Amino acid sequence: MTAVNLLDFDLQGLAAFCEQLGEKRFRATQLFRWIHQRGAFEFSQMTDLAKSLRDKLAGTACVTALGVASEQTASDGTIKWLFDVGAGDAVETVFIPETGRGTLCISSQAGCAVGCRFCSTGHQGFSRNLTTAEIVAQLWFAEHQLRSRLKRPEGERVITNVVMMGMGEPLQNYAALVPALKVMLDDHAYGLSRRRVTVSTSGVVPMIDRLRDDCPVALAVSLHAPNDLLRNDLVPLNRKYPLDGLLWACQRYLDKAPRDFITFEYCMLDGVNDTPDHAEQLVALVQDRISCKFNLIPFNPFPASGLTRSSNERVSVFARILQDAGVVTTVRKTRGDTIAAACGQLAGEVQDRTHFKERVLTRAPIQIHAHRAEGLA
Ligand code: SAH
Ligand code: SF4
């Protein structure tokens, strides 16, 4: 029998598992705290659990993290881990330190089926959904690894914010996502508030409604275009869920959202979606309709896209049009370095999945820009 990975459970799931072992449900809380608050992975470490329970767990369960295929640190402190998830697949997790907070950008799938034109994960295609354990393991590993590296006192968190903005479309892996979010929010685990956990989606409308009911964390929607014609081309999911329905879903989400606005992400593509006319169309789309903030993202180029980044000047003109119309707009800062940790560049170098380890070890550094998740969580 293969051991059950306890990283797969939210507290409720762990309580059910303990019951199956013939244990009281409250034991789950102790176990959960050992795993997530203290980073324990061996049952023998969990000294206040009854010896009989520790023995039972040792025979049936495990706490198994992901294998680290590589780790790269940029001069600004941004760290990117590439995790091996088996069968030649790898996913990336990025830690972005800032004064007073630490943001972890987490992956939800190996590859992505949405296929956005400007995203290297999209170009890679879909491989598979991550399990809850694989999503949670990214946070578990990063938090405890960094806590011990930075010599933080017990209980002091390194990661204060999580953004589901790594590889994959989180709302196309809903069943695994929700328990993972619950672990992030649970006071017996990471205790993050709902406003410090952000799900970013390309617009899976029915799942936005479900998230609103099941676990309404902060929502970021990747808009990228002010009309259906252009959005159909950039974000193919728009053909299934066009803009009008998406905006209605955003409005419904606001009833339960932890903040009183939705963040719209807009990747600035030179000559494609960045003209003053596009900005004016955007204003017309959202003004007097939805409480929102815009986050303009400088495009992180990769060769297969055939697209280029808008000039700073163009981005400023675009931002000014939105701001002058009263739409709160920030431009995401880039942090120049050499580790390819920016959104949309994740795992771009592992397209040949069978050889990702060699590639990671041998590839030359590429000039890239890691983003700050400013204004997002
Ligand atoms: N699938 C989800 C979350 C992962 S992508 C989504 O699309 O929202 C996270 C963010 O990175 C999205 O806003 C996405 O549009 C953006 N992004 C993707 N490729 C990019 C690139 N090459 N340059 C800049 N941003 C990019
Ligand atoms: Fe998938 Fe998001 Fe990339 Fe689009 S931008 S392909 S939805 S990961």
Side-chain angles (χ1 to χ4, degrees):
M1 196 184 81
T2 50
V4 175
N5 190 353
L6 300 186
L7 295 182
D8 226 4
F9 294 128
D10 59 13
L11 186 53
Q12 221 185 347
L14 193 61
F17 179 74
C18 284
E19 261 182 343
Q20 273 174 25
L21 294 180
E23 294 287 334
K24 294 270 187 299
R25 286 175 77 92
F26 78 88
R27 292 282 172 218
T29 308
Q30 281 176 298
L31 188 53
F32 203 58
R33 293 171 71 110
W34 271 108
I35 297 169
H36 296 292
Q37 292 190 336
R38 306 184 68 173
F41 54 91
E42 279 172 0
F43 301 118
S44 58
Q45 292 172 275
M46 304 179 184
T47 42
D48 62 355
L49 289 187
K51 175 87 169 54
S52 58
L53 172 57
R54 281 189 265 156
D55 290 346
K56 262 188 234 173
L57 288 168
T60 51
C62 60
V63 179
T64 306
L66 298 169
V68 180
S70 74
E71 176 183 313
Q72 292 169 280
T73 305
S75 54
D76 61 10
T78 300
I79 304 174
K80 181 180 78 167
W81 289 281
L82 183 65
F83 290 110
D84 178 355
V85 294
D89 285 320
V91 296
E92 287 182 337
T93 307
V94 181
F95 173 66
I96 305 141
E98 288 171 283
T99 318
R101 72 175 182 185
T103 301
L104 195 69
C105 177
I106 290 183
S107 294
S108 57
Q109 299 179 312
C112 182
V114 176
C116 299
R117 258 182 67 194
F118 49 84
C119 174
S120 94
T121 307
H123 278 244
Q124 181 187 338
F126 178 67
S127 189
R128 71 169 174 87
N129 278 329
L130 297 188
T131 62
T132 298
E134 289 168 329
I135 298 171
V136 170
Q138 298 171 61
L139 174 58
W140 183 84
F141 174 86
E143 174 65 39
H144 297 292
Q145 175 73 217
L146 293 172
R147 213 185 272 182
S148 79
R149 245 189 247 181
L150 302 171
K151 302 201 169 45
R152 291 285 172 90
E154 177 100 1
E156 191 181 306
R157 278 189 226 132
V158 178
I159 291 155
T160 59
N161 298 62
V162 168
V163 293
M164 296 301 304
M165 291 186 187
M167 295 172 69
E169 170 46 58
L171 295 187
Q172 287 189 338
N173 185 14
Y174 192 79
L177 174 73
V178 170
L181 295 176
K182 291 198 165 149
V183 175
M184 295 170 197
L185 302 181
D186 201 305
D187 282 338
H188 296 295
Y190 301 92
L192 300 175
S193 71
R194 289 192 292 129
R195 52 169 59 213
R196 287 173 176 268
V197 175
T198 300
V199 167
S200 175
T201 179
S202 55
V204 191
V205 167
M207 294 300 157
I208 293 176
D209 284 325
R210 284 188 61 187
L211 191 68
R212 168 180 174 271
D213 294 332
D214 295 338
C215 197
V217 294
L219 186 69
V221 172
S222 296
L223 214 56
H224 310 308
N227 60 62
D228 283 321
L229 196 65
L230 182 55
R231 197 164 189 270
N232 284 346
D233 180 43
L234 295 176
V235 184
L237 192 68
N238 194 71
R239 293 175 208 151
K240 194 160 179 198
Y241 304 115
L243 275 170
D244 186 57
L246 178 57
L247 290 183
W248 281 116
C250 292
Q251 275 166 297
R252 289 191 293 274
Y253 197 86
L254 280 171
D255 294 345
K256 299 262 191 78
R259 293 172 181 251
D260 57 4
F261 60 88
I262 302 286
T263 302
F264 288 132
E265 294 161 279
Y266 197 98
C267 181
M268 298 295 289
L269 304 165
D270 187 37
V272 175
N273 65 354
D274 66 345
T275 65
D277 180 48
H278 290 122
E280 275 151 23
Q281 286 184 46
L282 266 187
V283 170
L285 186 72
V286 300
Q287 213 176 29
D288 304 325
R289 174 157 187 195
I290 183 149
S291 165
C292 62
K293 283 190 183 176
F294 270 85
N295 200 227
L296 304 182
I297 314 172
F299 172 58
N300 297 304
F302 60 99
S305 69
L307 298 162
T308 47
R309 173 186 293 197
S310 308
S311 67
N312 290 346
E313 206 186 324
R314 252 184 131 117
V315 175
S316 304
V317 171
F318 196 94
R320 179 53 56 86
I321 294 172
L322 292 173
Q323 283 157 353
D324 285 351
V327 180
V328 178
T329 304
T330 54
V331 179
R332 193 178 290 178
K333 290 201 187 77
T334 55
R335 312 216 300 192
D337 214 288
T338 52
I339 60 166
C343 34
Q345 293 187 313
L346 299 185
E349 62 274 27
V350 299
Q351 277 166 2
D352 178 355
R353 297 196 191 103
T354 50
H355 294 112
F356 74 86
K357 279 185 185 157
E358 291 94 301
R359 281 173 177 237
V360 167
L361 294 173
T362 57
R363 73 159 196 266
I366 328 161
Q367 179 61 39
I368 64 93
H369 301 268
H371 71 259
R372 283 173 194 266
E374 259 171 358
L376 284 169

